[in-house]
mmCIF file of all heavy atoms in Angstrom:
data_model
loop_
_atom_site.group_PDB
_atom_site.id
_atom_site.type_symbol
_atom_site.label_atom_id
_atom_site.label_comp_id
_atom_site.label_asym_id
_atom_site.label_seq_id
_atom_site.Cartn_x
_atom_site.Cartn_y
_atom_site.Cartn_z
ATOM 1 N N VAL A 116 -22.443 -46.873 26.180
ATOM 2 C CA VAL A 116 -22.707 -47.751 25.040
ATOM 3 C C VAL A 116 -21.881 -49.031 25.162
ATOM 4 O O VAL A 116 -22.383 -50.137 24.942
ATOM 5 C CB VAL A 116 -22.425 -47.018 23.709
ATOM 6 C CG1 VAL A 116 -22.391 -47.988 22.546
ATOM 7 C CG2 VAL A 116 -23.481 -45.950 23.477
ATOM 8 N N LEU A 120 -24.849 -50.995 27.201
ATOM 9 C CA LEU A 120 -25.619 -51.490 26.047
ATOM 10 C C LEU A 120 -24.959 -52.729 25.420
ATOM 11 O O LEU A 120 -25.487 -53.823 25.526
ATOM 12 C CB LEU A 120 -25.798 -50.371 25.011
ATOM 13 C CG LEU A 120 -26.668 -49.193 25.465
ATOM 14 C CD1 LEU A 120 -26.775 -48.127 24.368
ATOM 15 C CD2 LEU A 120 -28.069 -49.639 25.864
ATOM 16 N N CYS A 149 -20.892 -51.558 19.638
ATOM 17 C CA CYS A 149 -21.967 -50.580 19.465
ATOM 18 C C CYS A 149 -23.289 -51.323 19.567
ATOM 19 O O CYS A 149 -23.314 -52.566 19.638
ATOM 20 C CB CYS A 149 -21.829 -49.820 18.140
ATOM 21 S SG CYS A 149 -22.173 -50.809 16.675
ATOM 22 N N PHE A 150 -24.374 -50.566 19.615
ATOM 23 C CA PHE A 150 -25.699 -51.136 19.890
ATOM 24 C C PHE A 150 -26.659 -50.555 18.853
ATOM 25 O O PHE A 150 -27.002 -49.368 18.916
ATOM 26 C CB PHE A 150 -26.093 -50.714 21.304
ATOM 27 C CG PHE A 150 -27.362 -51.297 21.856
ATOM 28 C CD1 PHE A 150 -27.348 -52.510 22.546
ATOM 29 C CD2 PHE A 150 -28.561 -50.614 21.747
ATOM 30 C CE1 PHE A 150 -28.512 -53.033 23.103
ATOM 31 C CE2 PHE A 150 -29.733 -51.122 22.296
ATOM 32 C CZ PHE A 150 -29.707 -52.334 22.988
ATOM 33 N N GLY A 151 -27.047 -51.375 17.890
ATOM 34 C CA GLY A 151 -27.854 -50.873 16.783
ATOM 35 C C GLY A 151 -29.320 -51.220 16.935
ATOM 36 O O GLY A 151 -29.744 -52.332 16.565
ATOM 37 N N LEU A 152 -30.084 -50.285 17.463
ATOM 38 C CA LEU A 152 -31.528 -50.482 17.617
ATOM 39 C C LEU A 152 -32.295 -49.498 16.724
ATOM 40 O O LEU A 152 -33.157 -49.891 15.943
ATOM 41 C CB LEU A 152 -31.929 -50.303 19.092
ATOM 42 C CG LEU A 152 -33.413 -50.484 19.405
ATOM 43 C CD1 LEU A 152 -33.855 -51.923 19.138
ATOM 44 C CD2 LEU A 152 -33.706 -50.119 20.869
ATOM 45 N N THR A 153 -31.953 -48.196 16.843
ATOM 46 C CA THR A 153 -32.699 -47.150 16.127
ATOM 47 C C THR A 153 -32.534 -47.273 14.609
ATOM 48 O O THR A 153 -31.451 -47.601 14.122
ATOM 49 C CB THR A 153 -32.185 -45.765 16.580
ATOM 50 O OG1 THR A 153 -32.310 -45.688 17.995
ATOM 51 C CG2 THR A 153 -32.965 -44.643 15.935
ATOM 52 N N GLU A 154 -33.613 -47.011 13.903
ATOM 53 C CA GLU A 154 -33.588 -47.001 12.435
ATOM 54 C C GLU A 154 -34.030 -45.629 11.944
ATOM 55 O O GLU A 154 -34.619 -44.860 12.710
ATOM 56 C CB GLU A 154 -34.510 -48.095 11.896
ATOM 57 C CG GLU A 154 -34.056 -49.473 12.351
ATOM 58 C CD GLU A 154 -34.767 -50.622 11.664
ATOM 59 O OE1 GLU A 154 -35.698 -50.368 10.874
ATOM 60 O OE2 GLU A 154 -34.357 -51.773 11.915
ATOM 61 N N PRO A 155 -33.793 -45.321 10.663
ATOM 62 C CA PRO A 155 -34.172 -43.995 10.164
ATOM 63 C C PRO A 155 -35.639 -43.659 10.455
ATOM 64 O O PRO A 155 -35.952 -42.531 10.820
ATOM 65 C CB PRO A 155 -33.911 -44.103 8.657
ATOM 66 C CG PRO A 155 -32.854 -45.158 8.528
ATOM 67 C CD PRO A 155 -33.071 -46.124 9.652
ATOM 68 N N ASP A 156 -36.531 -44.645 10.345
ATOM 69 C CA ASP A 156 -37.965 -44.362 10.545
ATOM 70 C C ASP A 156 -38.491 -44.809 11.903
ATOM 71 O O ASP A 156 -39.689 -44.653 12.171
ATOM 72 C CB ASP A 156 -38.786 -45.054 9.446
ATOM 73 C CG ASP A 156 -38.529 -44.417 8.090
ATOM 74 O OD1 ASP A 156 -38.204 -43.218 8.052
ATOM 75 O OD2 ASP A 156 -38.630 -45.131 7.074
ATOM 76 N N PHE A 157 -37.644 -45.385 12.738
ATOM 77 C CA PHE A 157 -38.132 -45.901 14.021
ATOM 78 C C PHE A 157 -37.133 -45.628 15.138
ATOM 79 O O PHE A 157 -36.099 -46.288 15.237
ATOM 80 C CB PHE A 157 -38.418 -47.413 13.924
ATOM 81 C CG PHE A 157 -39.480 -47.721 12.917
ATOM 82 C CD1 PHE A 157 -39.137 -48.077 11.622
ATOM 83 C CD2 PHE A 157 -40.826 -47.585 13.241
ATOM 84 C CE1 PHE A 157 -40.112 -48.327 10.664
ATOM 85 C CE2 PHE A 157 -41.810 -47.828 12.291
ATOM 86 C CZ PHE A 157 -41.451 -48.199 11.003
ATOM 87 N N GLY A 158 -37.446 -44.592 15.938
ATOM 88 C CA GLY A 158 -36.599 -44.265 17.087
ATOM 89 C C GLY A 158 -37.342 -44.562 18.379
ATOM 90 O O GLY A 158 -37.090 -45.563 19.046
ATOM 91 N N SER A 159 -38.354 -43.728 18.690
ATOM 92 C CA SER A 159 -39.130 -43.935 19.914
ATOM 93 C C SER A 159 -39.938 -45.229 19.862
ATOM 94 O O SER A 159 -40.312 -45.765 20.896
ATOM 95 C CB SER A 159 -40.089 -42.760 20.122
ATOM 96 O OG SER A 159 -39.357 -41.563 20.220
ATOM 97 N N ASP A 160 -40.200 -45.700 18.656
ATOM 98 C CA ASP A 160 -41.037 -46.903 18.483
ATOM 99 C C ASP A 160 -40.205 -48.002 17.825
ATOM 100 O O ASP A 160 -40.435 -48.371 16.669
ATOM 101 C CB ASP A 160 -42.244 -46.517 17.601
ATOM 102 C CG ASP A 160 -43.157 -47.697 17.313
ATOM 103 O OD1 ASP A 160 -43.090 -48.698 18.058
ATOM 104 O OD2 ASP A 160 -43.921 -47.603 16.338
ATOM 105 N N LYS A 181 -29.513 -49.152 10.276
ATOM 106 C CA LYS A 181 -29.618 -48.557 11.616
ATOM 107 C C LYS A 181 -29.032 -47.149 11.541
ATOM 108 O O LYS A 181 -28.132 -46.886 10.739
ATOM 109 C CB LYS A 181 -28.840 -49.407 12.633
ATOM 110 C CG LYS A 181 -29.353 -50.849 12.763
ATOM 111 C CD LYS A 181 -30.669 -50.912 13.491
ATOM 112 C CE LYS A 181 -31.271 -52.303 13.518
ATOM 113 N NZ LYS A 181 -32.584 -52.345 14.204
ATOM 114 N N MET A 182 -29.535 -46.277 12.389
ATOM 115 C CA MET A 182 -29.101 -44.875 12.315
ATOM 116 C C MET A 182 -28.830 -44.349 13.715
ATOM 117 O O MET A 182 -29.417 -44.831 14.679
ATOM 118 C CB MET A 182 -30.218 -44.056 11.676
ATOM 119 C CG MET A 182 -29.735 -42.771 11.073
ATOM 120 S SD MET A 182 -31.056 -42.092 10.072
ATOM 121 C CE MET A 182 -30.273 -40.611 9.533
ATOM 122 N N TRP A 183 -27.959 -43.335 13.797
ATOM 123 C CA TRP A 183 -27.619 -42.683 15.071
ATOM 124 C C TRP A 183 -26.915 -43.641 16.014
ATOM 125 O O TRP A 183 -27.164 -43.613 17.220
ATOM 126 C CB TRP A 183 -28.889 -42.146 15.762
ATOM 127 C CG TRP A 183 -29.634 -41.143 14.976
ATOM 128 C CD1 TRP A 183 -30.864 -41.304 14.422
ATOM 129 C CD2 TRP A 183 -29.213 -39.806 14.652
ATOM 130 N NE1 TRP A 183 -31.235 -40.161 13.762
ATOM 131 C CE2 TRP A 183 -30.230 -39.224 13.894
ATOM 132 C CE3 TRP A 183 -28.055 -39.058 14.929
ATOM 133 C CZ2 TRP A 183 -30.142 -37.921 13.412
ATOM 134 C CZ3 TRP A 183 -27.974 -37.774 14.446
ATOM 135 C CH2 TRP A 183 -29.010 -37.220 13.700
ATOM 136 N N ILE A 184 -26.037 -44.485 15.472
ATOM 137 C CA ILE A 184 -25.443 -45.512 16.329
ATOM 138 C C ILE A 184 -24.083 -45.035 16.849
ATOM 139 O O ILE A 184 -23.128 -44.864 16.076
ATOM 140 C CB ILE A 184 -25.302 -46.853 15.561
ATOM 141 C CG1 ILE A 184 -26.670 -47.249 14.963
ATOM 142 C CG2 ILE A 184 -24.751 -47.948 16.480
ATOM 143 C CD1 ILE A 184 -27.834 -47.294 15.946
ATOM 144 N N THR A 185 -24.031 -44.822 18.167
ATOM 145 C CA THR A 185 -22.802 -44.347 18.798
ATOM 146 C C THR A 185 -21.689 -45.381 18.597
ATOM 147 O O THR A 185 -21.886 -46.574 18.841
ATOM 148 C CB THR A 185 -23.042 -44.103 20.312
ATOM 149 O OG1 THR A 185 -24.109 -43.158 20.428
ATOM 150 C CG2 THR A 185 -21.795 -43.577 21.003
ATOM 151 N N ASN A 186 -20.556 -44.912 18.134
ATOM 152 C CA ASN A 186 -19.373 -45.741 17.863
ATOM 153 C C ASN A 186 -19.582 -46.761 16.743
ATOM 154 O O ASN A 186 -18.777 -47.684 16.583
ATOM 155 C CB ASN A 186 -18.867 -46.460 19.126
ATOM 156 C CG ASN A 186 -18.134 -45.493 20.033
ATOM 157 O OD1 ASN A 186 -17.711 -44.432 19.591
ATOM 158 N ND2 ASN A 186 -18.006 -45.837 21.293
ATOM 159 N N LYS A 227 -23.083 -32.720 13.132
ATOM 160 C CA LYS A 227 -23.792 -32.702 14.422
ATOM 161 C C LYS A 227 -23.427 -31.420 15.166
ATOM 162 O O LYS A 227 -22.276 -30.992 15.132
ATOM 163 C CB LYS A 227 -23.359 -33.888 15.279
ATOM 164 C CG LYS A 227 -23.923 -35.233 14.884
ATOM 165 C CD LYS A 227 -23.517 -36.290 15.908
ATOM 166 C CE LYS A 227 -22.013 -36.412 16.002
ATOM 167 N NZ LYS A 227 -21.536 -37.212 17.125
ATOM 168 N N SER A 229 -24.233 -31.418 18.470
ATOM 169 C CA SER A 229 -24.351 -31.952 19.828
ATOM 170 C C SER A 229 -23.521 -33.229 19.881
ATOM 171 O O SER A 229 -23.367 -33.898 18.848
ATOM 172 C CB SER A 229 -25.829 -32.256 20.079
ATOM 173 O OG SER A 229 -26.031 -32.910 21.301
ATOM 174 N N LEU A 230 -22.982 -33.553 21.049
ATOM 175 C CA LEU A 230 -22.120 -34.743 21.183
ATOM 176 C C LEU A 230 -21.088 -34.792 20.050
ATOM 177 O O LEU A 230 -20.922 -35.819 19.398
ATOM 178 C CB LEU A 230 -22.947 -36.032 21.199
ATOM 179 C CG LEU A 230 -23.653 -36.396 22.498
ATOM 180 C CD1 LEU A 230 -24.210 -37.805 22.427
ATOM 181 C CD2 LEU A 230 -22.727 -36.304 23.709
ATOM 182 N N SER A 233 -17.981 -37.370 20.072
ATOM 183 C CA SER A 233 -18.503 -38.740 20.129
ATOM 184 C C SER A 233 -18.811 -39.129 18.697
ATOM 185 O O SER A 233 -19.274 -38.298 17.904
ATOM 186 C CB SER A 233 -19.787 -38.765 20.972
ATOM 187 O OG SER A 233 -20.436 -40.010 20.880
ATOM 188 N N THR A 235 -20.855 -40.968 15.807
ATOM 189 C CA THR A 235 -22.215 -41.450 15.557
ATOM 190 C C THR A 235 -22.268 -41.924 14.108
ATOM 191 O O THR A 235 -21.724 -41.246 13.227
ATOM 192 C CB THR A 235 -23.234 -40.297 15.756
ATOM 193 O OG1 THR A 235 -22.925 -39.591 16.952
ATOM 194 C CG2 THR A 235 -24.649 -40.826 15.855
ATOM 195 N N LEU A 264 -31.403 -50.851 27.539
ATOM 196 C CA LEU A 264 -31.592 -49.395 27.579
ATOM 197 C C LEU A 264 -31.847 -48.928 29.005
ATOM 198 O O LEU A 264 -31.398 -47.861 29.418
ATOM 199 C CB LEU A 264 -32.762 -48.983 26.684
ATOM 200 C CG LEU A 264 -32.536 -49.120 25.177
ATOM 201 C CD1 LEU A 264 -33.806 -48.757 24.421
ATOM 202 C CD2 LEU A 264 -31.392 -48.239 24.707
ATOM 203 N N GLU A 382 -28.819 -31.815 24.646
ATOM 204 C CA GLU A 382 -29.918 -31.973 23.692
ATOM 205 C C GLU A 382 -30.012 -33.442 23.249
ATOM 206 O O GLU A 382 -31.102 -33.996 23.145
ATOM 207 C CB GLU A 382 -29.707 -31.077 22.454
ATOM 208 C CG GLU A 382 -29.754 -29.589 22.731
ATOM 209 C CD GLU A 382 -31.156 -29.050 23.008
ATOM 210 O OE1 GLU A 382 -32.145 -29.769 22.789
ATOM 211 O OE2 GLU A 382 -31.252 -27.885 23.454
ATOM 212 N N SER A 383 -28.856 -34.055 23.000
ATOM 213 C CA SER A 383 -28.868 -35.480 22.616
ATOM 214 C C SER A 383 -29.273 -36.352 23.793
ATOM 215 O O SER A 383 -30.022 -37.324 23.643
ATOM 216 C CB SER A 383 -27.479 -35.930 22.143
ATOM 217 O OG SER A 383 -27.150 -35.327 20.927
ATOM 218 N N VAL A 384 -28.760 -35.996 24.974
ATOM 219 C CA VAL A 384 -29.015 -36.833 26.160
ATOM 220 C C VAL A 384 -30.510 -36.809 26.506
ATOM 221 O O VAL A 384 -31.072 -37.803 26.967
ATOM 222 C CB VAL A 384 -28.132 -36.373 27.342
ATOM 223 C CG1 VAL A 384 -28.357 -37.244 28.567
ATOM 224 C CG2 VAL A 384 -26.652 -36.412 26.940
ATOM 225 N N THR A 386 -32.771 -36.675 24.307
ATOM 226 C CA THR A 386 -33.464 -37.418 23.237
ATOM 227 C C THR A 386 -33.143 -38.911 23.224
ATOM 228 O O THR A 386 -34.026 -39.735 23.004
ATOM 229 C CB THR A 386 -33.113 -36.785 21.862
ATOM 230 O OG1 THR A 386 -33.786 -35.523 21.789
ATOM 231 C CG2 THR A 386 -33.538 -37.645 20.699
ATOM 232 N N TYR A 387 -31.846 -39.272 23.448
ATOM 233 C CA TYR A 387 -31.562 -40.716 23.329
ATOM 234 C C TYR A 387 -31.906 -41.454 24.615
ATOM 235 O O TYR A 387 -32.204 -40.866 25.623
ATOM 236 C CB TYR A 387 -30.152 -40.991 22.808
ATOM 237 C CG TYR A 387 -28.949 -40.651 23.670
ATOM 238 C CD1 TYR A 387 -28.993 -40.558 25.047
ATOM 239 C CD2 TYR A 387 -27.704 -40.474 23.055
ATOM 240 C CE1 TYR A 387 -27.860 -40.294 25.799
ATOM 241 C CE2 TYR A 387 -26.565 -40.205 23.794
ATOM 242 C CZ TYR A 387 -26.664 -40.120 25.169
ATOM 243 O OH TYR A 387 -25.540 -39.858 25.904
ATOM 244 N N GLU A 388 -31.925 -42.764 24.505
ATOM 245 C CA GLU A 388 -32.325 -43.621 25.644
ATOM 246 C C GLU A 388 -33.745 -43.302 26.101
ATOM 247 O O GLU A 388 -34.047 -43.284 27.283
ATOM 248 C CB GLU A 388 -31.369 -43.445 26.833
ATOM 249 C CG GLU A 388 -29.909 -43.583 26.506
ATOM 250 C CD GLU A 388 -29.517 -45.013 26.228
ATOM 251 O OE1 GLU A 388 -30.312 -45.920 26.495
ATOM 252 O OE2 GLU A 388 -28.406 -45.195 25.700
ATOM 253 N N GLY A 389 -34.607 -43.018 25.139
ATOM 254 C CA GLY A 389 -35.987 -42.636 25.449
ATOM 255 C C GLY A 389 -36.076 -41.134 25.598
ATOM 256 O O GLY A 389 -35.417 -40.553 26.461
ATOM 257 N N THR A 390 -36.883 -40.507 24.741
ATOM 258 C CA THR A 390 -37.016 -39.047 24.817
ATOM 259 C C THR A 390 -37.763 -38.668 26.096
ATOM 260 O O THR A 390 -38.413 -39.510 26.735
ATOM 261 C CB THR A 390 -37.822 -38.511 23.612
ATOM 262 O OG1 THR A 390 -39.169 -39.005 23.711
ATOM 263 C CG2 THR A 390 -37.208 -38.934 22.282
ATOM 264 N N ALA A 391 -37.702 -37.372 26.442
ATOM 265 C CA ALA A 391 -38.422 -36.896 27.625
ATOM 266 C C ALA A 391 -39.906 -37.236 27.506
ATOM 267 O O ALA A 391 -40.541 -37.678 28.478
ATOM 268 C CB ALA A 391 -38.222 -35.385 27.762
ATOM 269 N N GLU A 392 -40.452 -37.091 26.290
ATOM 270 C CA GLU A 392 -41.882 -37.353 26.098
ATOM 271 C C GLU A 392 -42.200 -38.837 26.329
ATOM 272 O O GLU A 392 -43.221 -39.177 26.929
ATOM 273 C CB GLU A 392 -42.313 -36.942 24.687
ATOM 274 C CG GLU A 392 -42.261 -35.436 24.414
ATOM 275 C CD GLU A 392 -40.855 -34.912 24.111
ATOM 276 O OE1 GLU A 392 -39.908 -35.737 24.017
ATOM 277 O OE2 GLU A 392 -40.686 -33.693 23.971
ATOM 278 N N VAL A 393 -41.328 -39.697 25.831
ATOM 279 C CA VAL A 393 -41.566 -41.134 26.018
ATOM 280 C C VAL A 393 -41.554 -41.473 27.517
ATOM 281 O O VAL A 393 -42.398 -42.242 28.003
ATOM 282 C CB VAL A 393 -40.533 -41.971 25.223
ATOM 283 C CG1 VAL A 393 -40.489 -43.417 25.712
ATOM 284 C CG2 VAL A 393 -40.861 -41.919 23.734
ATOM 285 N N LEU A 396 -44.730 -40.533 29.019
ATOM 286 C CA LEU A 396 -45.781 -41.509 28.694
ATOM 287 C C LEU A 396 -45.663 -42.760 29.561
ATOM 288 O O LEU A 396 -46.671 -43.332 29.976
ATOM 289 C CB LEU A 396 -45.706 -41.881 27.211
ATOM 290 C CG LEU A 396 -46.092 -40.757 26.233
ATOM 291 C CD1 LEU A 396 -45.761 -41.138 24.796
ATOM 292 C CD2 LEU A 396 -47.578 -40.418 26.356
ATOM 293 N N ALA A 407 -50.747 -44.340 26.540
ATOM 294 C CA ALA A 407 -51.091 -43.284 25.569
ATOM 295 C C ALA A 407 -50.022 -43.149 24.491
ATOM 296 O O ALA A 407 -49.856 -42.099 23.896
ATOM 297 C CB ALA A 407 -51.273 -41.961 26.308
ATOM 298 N N PHE A 408 -49.274 -44.258 24.248
ATOM 299 C CA PHE A 408 -48.183 -44.190 23.263
ATOM 300 C C PHE A 408 -48.705 -44.051 21.839
ATOM 301 O O PHE A 408 -48.060 -43.488 21.000
ATOM 302 C CB PHE A 408 -47.317 -45.454 23.349
ATOM 303 C CG PHE A 408 -46.580 -45.564 24.651
ATOM 304 C CD1 PHE A 408 -47.130 -46.234 25.730
ATOM 305 C CD2 PHE A 408 -45.341 -44.965 24.803
ATOM 306 C CE1 PHE A 408 -46.446 -46.320 26.934
ATOM 307 C CE2 PHE A 408 -44.654 -45.041 26.000
ATOM 308 C CZ PHE A 408 -45.220 -45.723 27.075
ATOM 309 N N ARG A 409 -49.896 -44.631 21.575
ATOM 310 C CA ARG A 409 -50.437 -44.502 20.217
ATOM 311 C C ARG A 409 -51.887 -44.060 20.265
ATOM 312 O O ARG A 409 -52.533 -44.105 21.263
ATOM 313 C CB ARG A 409 -50.291 -45.775 19.392
ATOM 314 C CG ARG A 409 -50.360 -47.071 20.096
ATOM 315 C CD ARG A 409 -50.109 -48.259 19.169
ATOM 316 N NE ARG A 409 -48.748 -48.772 19.329
ATOM 317 C CZ ARG A 409 -47.826 -48.774 18.362
ATOM 318 N NH1 ARG A 409 -48.098 -48.290 17.188
ATOM 319 N NH2 ARG A 409 -46.625 -49.270 18.583
HETATM 320 P P1 FAD B 519 -38.836 -39.771 17.094
HETATM 321 O O1 FAD B 519 -39.071 -41.111 17.634
HETATM 322 O O2 FAD B 519 -39.111 -39.533 15.630
HETATM 323 O O3 FAD B 519 -39.417 -38.665 17.970
HETATM 324 C C1 FAD B 519 -39.555 -37.310 17.530
HETATM 325 C C2 FAD B 519 -40.373 -36.559 18.592
HETATM 326 O O4 FAD B 519 -41.633 -37.192 18.737
HETATM 327 C C3 FAD B 519 -39.700 -36.611 19.970
HETATM 328 O O5 FAD B 519 -39.913 -35.398 20.645
HETATM 329 C C4 FAD B 519 -40.483 -37.697 20.690
HETATM 330 O O6 FAD B 519 -40.491 -37.563 22.091
HETATM 331 C C5 FAD B 519 -41.869 -37.471 20.106
HETATM 332 N N1 FAD B 519 -42.713 -38.656 20.235
HETATM 333 C C6 FAD B 519 -42.430 -39.919 19.876
HETATM 334 N N2 FAD B 519 -43.461 -40.733 20.174
HETATM 335 C C7 FAD B 519 -44.401 -39.945 20.747
HETATM 336 C C8 FAD B 519 -45.703 -40.199 21.279
HETATM 337 N N3 FAD B 519 -46.218 -41.423 21.319
HETATM 338 N N4 FAD B 519 -46.397 -39.145 21.781
HETATM 339 C C9 FAD B 519 -45.875 -37.895 21.785
HETATM 340 N N5 FAD B 519 -44.665 -37.594 21.307
HETATM 341 C C10 FAD B 519 -43.939 -38.615 20.796
HETATM 342 N N6 FAD B 519 -29.842 -45.324 19.002
HETATM 343 C C11 FAD B 519 -29.314 -46.581 19.075
HETATM 344 O O7 FAD B 519 -29.988 -47.570 18.793
HETATM 345 N N7 FAD B 519 -28.011 -46.761 19.441
HETATM 346 C C12 FAD B 519 -27.187 -45.716 19.742
HETATM 347 O O8 FAD B 519 -26.012 -45.924 20.072
HETATM 348 C C13 FAD B 519 -27.718 -44.380 19.662
HETATM 349 N N8 FAD B 519 -26.904 -43.302 19.873
HETATM 350 C C14 FAD B 519 -27.406 -42.029 19.659
HETATM 351 C C15 FAD B 519 -26.539 -40.937 19.718
HETATM 352 C C16 FAD B 519 -27.012 -39.647 19.459
HETATM 353 C C17 FAD B 519 -26.070 -38.489 19.467
HETATM 354 C C18 FAD B 519 -28.385 -39.449 19.191
HETATM 355 C C19 FAD B 519 -28.925 -38.077 18.929
HETATM 356 C C20 FAD B 519 -29.245 -40.535 19.106
HETATM 357 C C21 FAD B 519 -28.770 -41.829 19.326
HETATM 358 N N9 FAD B 519 -29.600 -42.955 19.191
HETATM 359 C C22 FAD B 519 -29.080 -44.227 19.274
HETATM 360 C C23 FAD B 519 -30.971 -42.783 18.720
HETATM 361 C C24 FAD B 519 -31.951 -42.358 19.794
HETATM 362 O O9 FAD B 519 -32.190 -43.390 20.696
HETATM 363 C C25 FAD B 519 -33.224 -41.866 19.088
HETATM 364 O O10 FAD B 519 -32.889 -40.638 18.470
HETATM 365 C C26 FAD B 519 -34.389 -41.694 20.042
HETATM 366 O O11 FAD B 519 -34.898 -42.940 20.425
HETATM 367 C C27 FAD B 519 -35.530 -40.875 19.426
HETATM 368 O O12 FAD B 519 -35.868 -41.362 18.186
HETATM 369 P P2 FAD B 519 -36.003 -40.383 16.921
HETATM 370 O O13 FAD B 519 -34.794 -39.510 16.885
HETATM 371 O O14 FAD B 519 -36.307 -41.227 15.761
HETATM 372 O O15 FAD B 519 -37.214 -39.451 17.275
#
Side-chain angles (χ1 to χ4, degrees):
V116 167
L120 294 180
C149 71
F150 186 89
L152 180 65
T153 304
E154 299 190 355
D156 292 332
F157 298 95
S159 301
D160 178 19
K181 299 287 174 182
M182 202 168 178
W183 300 112
I184 306 307
T185 302
N186 284 341
K227 285 186 300 169
S229 173
L230 282 190
S233 171
T235 315
L264 290 177
E382 295 287 349
S383 291
V384 181
T386 288
Y387 68 24
E388 309 288 348
T390 66
E392 293 79 5
V393 163
L396 291 170
F408 294 91
R409 32 184 102 243

